[in-house]
Amino acid sequence: MQSQGVPDTAEDAPTSERERPRMLEAYGPTLDSTLAYARRRDYAGPDYGDGLSSELLQSLPFENRVLNLVVQEVVKRTPVDVRPLFRVETRRNYKGTALFSMANLNYHKLAADGTPLEAAFDPEGEARRLADWLVDERITDYSGYCGGHRHPIQHLHTKGVPEDPDIVSTAYGVKALLRASHLDDRYADFARSAESFLVTDLNYREGEVGATIDYHMNHPEDSYTINAAAVGAMMLLDLYEHFGDDGLRERATKILEHVAWTQTDVGGWPYRLPADASHLSMDSHHNGFVIEAFQRYREVVDDDRFADTLEDALTFYREELFELDGAPNFDEASAYPRDIHASTQGMLVFTREGDLEMAERILRWVLANLQVREGQFYYRQYRHHTKRVTLMRWCQAWMSYALSEFLLAASDEGDHRIEPGQHP
């Protein structure tokens, strides 16, 4: 990484520092309009894999796994949005709501710091309202706080149901509640109990190298989802930073020790182990999740423990999963489809590295290729067509969160980005 030393003159400043005012002025309106798009719809909309919420499918007097898969994949993969045809119910996504809550808190901080934004609404009030919803809509009857998708999902061998919590949805709910804890003390209390969900319900277990957890309650026993474990470790790190409990740090360390042990020689991670247990290979946004977990460990616990793992991962990520113009590759072997979630995760990773130039390059590619109109984004670009669907969580929530993090880093107060346990 480049030296973080203070330059002697403005001419000596890195490009990212010299151009921070330009970045804020150029992209502030995009954050305004992205959040406005979601706010007008009360943060509800189409979601990835929501085909089983089809009222037509639910009206059938029988259920069939193959039919479920067909409807789900047709809704997911058709180049235009066929959800109205199948009468798919739109709703809030749990993880998406957490992202919107954090984006609104970031917006509040940016507006308070003088970033040119419209601010014709109460972003902190929006963040509180969404955090309240995360509490009210949590999944109960488990060992601790948890959340999950709010529509059923048909997997090849099992069916995920709305009452089936998962670590990824839970982790982002925890992050959002901790960031909003200065608004209501009970948010942190709920978040703290998520450790019990991870340890007890997701079967935290130590092995020969580190520790592992399950992705969700009905995960196949013959495979292991790597990025989900990394996100679980990141959740424990968020809790550790807020509460200072050494047990949280120790469990996070053991999970990341196992994740580091599974890193391939090229620096990336397959979606699952064994690798042939999933159709996904070393895809972009899931590798970004893993990298962000190691970045978080570096920030909260130890600069050096996983330094080599992180260095190799970032090299692979930059060189194999992104083009020079900022376009995201789908995985190590395929450029297409170019996915907006891969782009937003890339913005988060490079922003956390202090590489605002690369983060902006990715953002500019998205604005040129996946933006419908200012503040509304499409899902994917294929080689010969674009998936002309705006998904509320996958497109709008991730873009609002990633863009708000990028703008905070670009602001004069960028070093004071709101993290769990830090009050604005």
Side-chain angles (χ1 to χ4, degrees), residues 326-337:
N329 293 327
F330 187 77
D331 59 26
E332 79 281 14
S334 305
Y336 292 92

Side-chain angles (χ1 to χ4, degrees), residues 280-294:
L280 294 174
S281 181
M282 300 185 203
D283 69 289
S284 183
H285 83 267
H286 288 118
N287 269 266
F289 280 166
V290 179
I291 291 171
E292 192 175 6
F294 284 109

Side-chain angles (χ1 to χ4, degrees), residues 165-422:
D166 65 87
I167 188 57
V168 178
S169 298
T170 301
Y172 281 93
V174 165
K175 188 182 289 287
L177 291 178
L178 291 177
R179 289 199 185 187
S181 61
H182 62 288
L183 302 175
D184 190 328
D185 291 340
R186 69 191 180 115
Y187 296 156
D189 294 336
F190 280 110
R192 180 65 182 86
S193 70
E195 181 193 14
S196 295
F197 168 69
L198 180 149
V199 171
T200 302
D201 299 311
L202 297 184
N203 191 25
Y204 173 91
R205 60 230 181 245
E206 296 183 8
E208 183 179 350
V209 179
T212 57
I213 59 171
D214 295 335
Y215 181 3
H216 52 79
M217 302 295 294
N218 296 309
H219 196 285
E221 295 181 359
D222 59 353
S223 64
Y224 177 67
T225 304
I226 297 172
N227 77 89
V231 171
M234 186 159 53
M235 181 191 82
L236 295 175
L237 292 169
D238 288 343
L239 289 168
Y240 169 68
E241 185 179 58
H242 191 95
F243 293 102
D245 185 335
D246 288 341
L248 294 160
R249 171 181 52 77
E250 291 165 4
R251 285 197 170 105
T253 301
K254 286 187 178 295
I255 293 173
L256 290 180
E257 282 176 349
H258 186 83
V259 173
W261 180 66
T262 65
Q263 187 177 31
T264 65
D265 291 341
V266 298
W269 287 267
Y271 179 74
R272 281 185 181 162
L273 286 178
D276 59 6
S278 172
H279 67 284
L280 294 174
S281 181
M282 300 185 203
D283 69 289
S284 183
H285 83 267
H286 288 118
N287 269 266
F289 280 166
V290 179
I291 291 171
E292 192 175 6
F294 284 109
Q295 290 175 315
R296 193 81 178 101
Y297 190 91
R298 180 184 62 192
E299 293 172 2
V300 175
V301 181
D302 189 336
D303 286 347
D304 299 324
R305 187 181 189 106
F306 297 111
D308 292 341
T309 299
L310 184 54
E311 181 179 2
D312 291 346
L314 283 165
T315 298
F316 167 78
Y317 191 63
R318 179 189 291 272
E319 295 181 358
E320 300 297 331
L321 298 182
F322 286 91
E323 300 294 334
L324 290 176
D325 65 351
N329 293 327
F330 187 77
D331 59 26
E332 79 281 14
S334 305
Y336 292 92
R338 302 195 189 278
D339 190 301
I340 192 169
H341 194 349
S343 296
T344 53
Q345 187 59 38
M347 288 173 59
L348 289 166
V349 165
F350 290 112
T351 294
R352 216 176 256 290
E353 281 302 297
D355 189 350
L356 298 188
E357 181 181 354
M358 183 62 184
E360 184 184 20
R361 203 179 302 169
I362 296 169
L363 172 59
R364 293 169 90 172
W365 183 89
V366 173
L367 297 179
N369 291 275
L370 290 176
Q371 184 172 234
V372 188
R373 57 186 61 85
E374 188 164 64
Q376 180 186 357
F377 300 91
Y378 282 149
Y379 163 43
R380 277 181 173 175
Q381 181 189 79
Y382 291 81
R383 190 175 299 275
H384 300 298
H385 73 278
T386 296
K387 178 80 169 179
R388 304 174 69 83
V389 177
T390 299
L391 303 177
M392 187 59 75
R393 183 245 318 187
W394 202 272
C395 303
Q396 300 302 121
W398 277 110
M399 178 54 72
S400 65
Y401 175 58
L403 182 54
S404 68
E405 291 279 295
F406 169 77
L407 290 175
L408 274 179
S411 73
D412 290 339
E413 300 297 324
D415 290 339
H416 301 115
R417 181 176 67 250
I418 303 171
E419 285 291 352
Q422 297 178 357

